[in-house]
Amino acid sequence: MDGAEFHAAVYDTVRLIPPQKVTSYGHIAKLIGMPNRSRHVGQALKFLTAETTPPVPWYRVISSSGTISSRGPGTTGAQNQSNELEAEGVEVTVGRTGEMKVDFSVYGWFPEPGSI
DNA sequence: AATTTGACTGACA
DNA sequence: CTGTCAGCCAAAT
């Protein structure tokens, strides 16, 4: 599997995430069959943002601790991501420091590899 | 060619 | 709760 196939595998897996559900980078990597490529999942996702067909719901992928990665100062990305999630009906908890969290016990999606 | 970076994770203090 | 450390690897510097 080369870089392009890795990208395609990530996109396909992200598209499998059901509405109103979220999962983590590490689990995406696991589903692909490469549990130690969590960082590259993030790299593949940042390369998106452009309109793809069909679209990739990248905003349903967050860190394993249930928090949305801030990626840079300002209200870029992360704020938009929480907006998208709330639009889907996912409850996003925001603390006083701007921390954005999603309750995995309610919205988490972690199927076993091979069950999909 | 060598070093650093990064939308990460898990374990531990 | 916060912070540190090690493991991971393609891409960027």
Side-chain angles (χ1 to χ4, degrees):
Chain A
M1 173 175 304
D2 57 17
E5 291 183 37
F6 180 78
H7 274 132
V10 170
Y11 300 157
D12 285 344
T13 307
V14 171
R15 280 193 266 254
L16 293 178
I17 305 175
Q20 303 176 357
K21 293 288 175 186
V22 294
T23 191
S24 69
Y25 299 94
H27 200 80
I28 293 288
K30 250 186 211 178
L31 293 178
I32 296 174
M34 298 174 155
N36 42 347
R37 302 289 188 280
S38 54
R39 299 177 117 113
H40 302 115
V41 173
Q43 261 204 0
L45 292 187
K46 81 175 177 193
F47 188 71
L48 286 181
T49 339
E51 47 287 338
T52 59
T53 51
V56 179
W58 60 271
Y59 46 82
R60 293 182 191 144
V61 184
I62 61 186
S63 61
S64 65
S65 43
T67 60
I68 297 176
S69 311
S70 52
R71 80 182 136 272
T75 59
T76 56
Q79 181 63 59
N80 180 47
Q81 180 167 2
S82 84
N83 289 339
E84 293 278 8
L85 288 174
E86 286 181 337
E88 294 271 323
V90 176
E91 186 178 354
V92 179
T93 304
V94 181
R96 68 158 83 170
T97 61
E99 58 186 42
M100 303 164 176
K101 287 203 267 190
V102 177
D103 190 349
F104 274 151
S105 67
V106 178
Y107 302 104
W109 182 76
F110 301 98
E112 290 301 316
S115 65
I116 55 174

